[in-house]
Amino acid sequence: MKQYTFPEGFLWGSAASAPQTEGASQKDGKAKSIWDYWYETEAERFYENIGPEITSDFYHCYEQDIQRMKNIHLNSFRTSISWSRLLPDGTNVNQKAVEFYNRVIDTLLNQGIKPIINLFHFDMPMHLQEKGGWENREVVDAFAFYARTAFELFGDRVTLWTTFNEPIVPVEMGYLNHFHYPCVVDMKRAVTVAYHSILASAKAIRNYRELNRDGQIGIILNLTPSYPRSQDKEDVRAAEIADLFFNRSFLDPSVLGEYPSALIELLDEHQLLPHREKGDKELLRHNVVDFLGVNYYQPRRVKKKESAGSSQEGIMPEDFFDPYIWPERRMNPYRGWEIYEKGLYDIAVNIKQNYGNIPWYVAENGMGVANEERFMDQTGTIQDNYRIEFYEEHLKWLHQAIEEGSNCFGYHVWTFMDNWSWLNAYKNRYGFYRVNLKDRERILKKSGNWFKQVIDQNGLIVED
Ligand code: BGP
């Protein structure tokens, strides 16, 4: 048997978000987010017409759910606050929301589960989207106000905060593709959205530091290591550009306090630079994160541009490279994502070598599988061995990185219980607990028990 022991005090837990778990989307004074609005107007865009109104009903079941977390020994849990629940009109605090988040935070703490609270998980309040969302610089200040409000209300007990989860996703899905509202396809506008998101993150960090709370603040990024098809110069260049657009566009300003000059040059060359104002550079330079959360699901493989022509919508990131299908790749066929465990190690090495070995944790890693009821045994337990294997292989690489000095302080899976997904609703299930859609009953899967053991051992004990 081989042991993979993790550092003392390692955070073992899971991640979630308000819009994917809370439900009660129109209850107790919550205003509409873009998701509520979009579902109301175009329900057919949602998988099986299932929208965000109920999701996994955490709003009503949080107490039992936190007990379930405790039952499998999680020592930490990340979720987000819903901006449109806390500040329905952008200015006045909704007391019902304060009560709810207070109860969630206090219950977690009473159970010995450390809360990590995120502020933005793709859920722009609709009244701000009507003003242009992240395209409008006023929204940057609206976010900073929301962040300050949350720090003031909950910062006495929450000591780990994050400003954004995967801020590149609204850019990619909502402004480069029509998969998230507002379904715009325009790279210039996408760049502005990205730029304003990073300004908003920096302003929130500044507010947090001004309040002098006893805690730390970070950002959660989905880092997709970019691998070139070959060491050929043009393939390598293609991978560098993909890395600039999809990783370094948020990683560098968040951790190093400035954009990579290669990204600025590239955007400038194509007249894509956003409008900047005096003081922006200083704001970024002085408000870097204390730690990073890294979501890792899949790598990005690219080759030099071989296919012809650009799209009708003008220049797009894909004009600089083509996707490359590695003949040896293994896929999660349900989600269509490559499984490449070593990617996690490569991320750790990159953070160590190029980002000052900043403290970081795996903020999401997981495997969504469709029709999991196929794997249910006579006792009703889903035998999700594929998920256990997925986690084990990632943990081995993570362990190696830590052995080599990576400053990783935790591992959070996506996710604790099946929850609602933006594009796929409840098609692909990720949870340690199955959520039965008829009555929202939760049933522990085999992987939940496996994780409990991992936590008890503070690592893996596996056959050599
Ligand atoms: C991440 C998001 C999560 C979650 C997860 C799984 O990108 O932060 O919100 O949804 O991916 O992806 P999906 O739900 O698309 O299968």
Side-chain angles (χ1 to χ4, degrees):
M1 299 298 271
K2 187 152 185 216
Q3 280 202 18
Y4 298 82
T5 306
F6 284 73
E8 212 177 303
F10 201 68
L11 294 186
W12 296 104
S14 71
S17 75
Q20 293 176 275
T21 57
E22 282 178 8
S25 71
Q26 306 294 297
K27 220 183 150 183
D28 287 347
K30 182 182 169 299
K32 287 187 185 83
S33 74
I34 52 173
W35 295 95
D36 306 314
Y37 171 81
W38 197 23
Y39 183 62
E40 247 179 48
T41 49
E42 284 187 278
E44 67 284 0
R45 294 287 317 255
F46 292 69
Y47 183 77
E48 289 181 338
N49 283 352
I50 299 176
E53 329 97 292
I54 308 176
T55 65
S56 298
D57 202 24
F58 185 70
Y59 192 76
H60 298 108
C61 306
Y62 71 91
E63 214 173 334
Q64 300 93 306
D65 284 337
I66 293 170
Q67 181 59 52
R68 290 182 184 101
M69 292 176 200
K70 180 72 184 170
N71 293 347
I72 57 166
H73 298 181
L74 303 195
N75 63 21
S76 46
F77 174 64
R78 183 254 298 195
T79 190
S80 66
I81 291 175
S82 159
W83 187 355
S84 47
R85 190 184 297 285
L86 190 66
L87 294 172
D89 63 3
T91 316
N92 294 297
V93 171
N94 172 10
Q95 274 316 317
K96 290 270 186 200
V98 178
E99 284 161 27
F100 170 64
Y101 291 117
N102 271 337
R103 288 196 305 263
V104 169
I105 292 164
D106 292 343
T107 311
L108 286 166
L109 290 170
N110 288 337
Q111 292 282 25
I113 299 170
K114 193 173 188 59
I116 301 179
I117 299 296
N118 177 46
L119 294 170
F120 189 85
H121 200 124
F122 313 166
D123 53 343
M124 179 62 73
M126 193 56 206
H127 69 98
L128 293 174
Q129 188 63 43
E130 279 163 358
K131 292 185 172 171
W134 291 121
E135 281 187 85
N136 180 349
R137 233 184 124 108
E138 279 173 36
V139 172
V140 172
D141 290 316
F143 180 78
F145 172 76
Y146 155 56
R148 177 181 281 271
T149 308
F151 304 145
E152 283 170 349
L153 287 166
F154 312 114
D156 54 334
R157 287 151 292 152
V158 175
T159 56
L160 288 178
W161 289 91
T162 56
T163 55
F164 280 75
N165 172 80
E166 303 190 351
I168 192 80
V169 167
V171 176
E172 231 184 310
M173 304 298 258
Y175 291 86
L176 290 172
N177 290 285
H178 52 83
F179 297 130
H180 286 191
Y181 195 81
C183 311
V184 169
V185 181
D186 183 320
M187 185 149 173
K188 175 102 186 162
R189 292 172 67 181
V191 169
T192 298
V193 167
Y195 184 59
H196 287 167
S197 307
I198 208 71
L199 291 180
S201 178
K203 283 201 176 181
I205 293 172
R206 186 171 70 188
N207 282 350
Y208 186 66
R209 302 242 162 88
E210 274 173 14
L211 289 172
N212 249 321
R213 296 284 190 195
D214 186 17
Q216 294 187 315
I217 187 156
I219 191 166
I220 296 168
L221 304 178
N222 49 319
L223 298 182
T224 45
S226 302
Y227 299 109
R229 166 180 57 182
S230 73
Q231 285 312 304
D232 174 89
K233 234 172 69 193
E234 286 180 86
D235 281 345
V236 170
R237 176 70 186 143
E240 275 168 10
I241 293 180
D243 190 38
L244 284 172
F245 284 149
F246 294 108
N247 297 318
R248 298 188 60 194
S249 53
F250 282 95
L251 186 54
D252 284 42
S254 297
V255 179
L256 306 176
E258 60 181 11
Y259 282 97
S261 49
L263 179 60
I264 298 175
E265 281 156 27
L266 195 62
L267 294 176
D268 195 17
E269 208 178 296
H270 297 277
Q271 286 88 49
L272 290 168
L273 280 176
H275 167 76
R276 283 139 294 145
E277 290 186 8
K278 205 164 162 269
D280 286 0
K281 266 191 169 177
E282 288 65 35
L283 174 75
L284 297 186
R285 188 166 326 124
H286 293 127
N287 296 289
V288 295
V289 294
D290 296 316
F291 70 93
L292 257 185
V294 175
N295 294 352
Y296 176 63
Y297 290 92
Q298 56 166 347
R300 185 186 301 274
R301 298 190 189 275
V302 297
K303 60 184 180 186
K304 72 175 180 202
K305 189 79 194 159
E306 286 171 345
S307 59
S310 13
S311 68
Q312 287 177 332
E313 284 90 0
I315 195 143
M316 284 286 140
E318 290 72 23
D319 291 325
F320 298 88
F321 51 81
D322 274 342
Y324 168 60
I325 297 181
W326 185 37
E328 288 166 51
R329 75 175 185 176
R330 284 172 301 125
M331 295 294 286
N332 168 355
Y334 314 102
R335 189 60 183 82
W337 285 345
E338 182 184 338
I339 300 176
Y340 184 65
E341 300 87 349
K342 180 171 175 283
L344 195 52
Y345 171 82
D346 292 338
I347 288 171
V349 170
N350 182 34
I351 294 174
K352 187 170 147 208
Q353 289 177 349
N354 301 312
Y355 296 91
N357 206 12
I358 185 171
W360 69 285
Y361 83 110
V362 178
E364 285 181 30
N365 181 220
M367 187 181 180
V369 172
N371 306 318
E372 277 202 312
E373 54 286 353
R374 282 174 294 164
F375 304 108
M376 205 176 268
D377 67 11
Q378 320 79 291
T379 70
T381 308
I382 288 175
Q383 299 289 324
D384 51 346
N385 295 317
Y386 40 86
R387 182 167 291 113
I388 296 174
E389 191 189 323
F390 177 98
Y391 288 142
E392 274 184 356
E393 295 311 310
H394 282 85
L395 281 170
K396 286 180 192 169
W397 280 109
L398 183 63
H399 184 265
Q400 180 167 333
I402 295 172
E403 290 279 282
E404 292 172 16
S406 174
N407 210 354
C408 176
F409 62 84
Y411 180 78
H412 275 196
V413 304
W414 189 268
T415 180
F416 163 71
M417 62 177 163
D418 295 340
N419 58 27
W420 181 79
S421 160
W422 320 98
L423 300 179
N424 296 311
Y426 282 87
K427 174 179 161 290
N428 301 320
R429 305 301 187 98
Y430 285 85
F432 284 140
Y433 282 85
R434 179 171 178 81
V435 174
N436 185 341
L437 290 193
K438 268 201 221 108
D439 50 11
R440 261 68 190 175
E441 188 195 359
R442 282 83 155 120
I443 307 156
L444 188 63
K445 302 177 194 173
K446 184 176 176 185
S447 58
N449 261 321
W450 166 84
F451 200 53
K452 176 172 154 194
Q453 217 180 20
V454 170
I455 299 171
D456 291 348
Q457 295 162 177
N458 197 28
L460 300 173
I461 304 178
V462 287
E463 276 182 36
D464 229 347

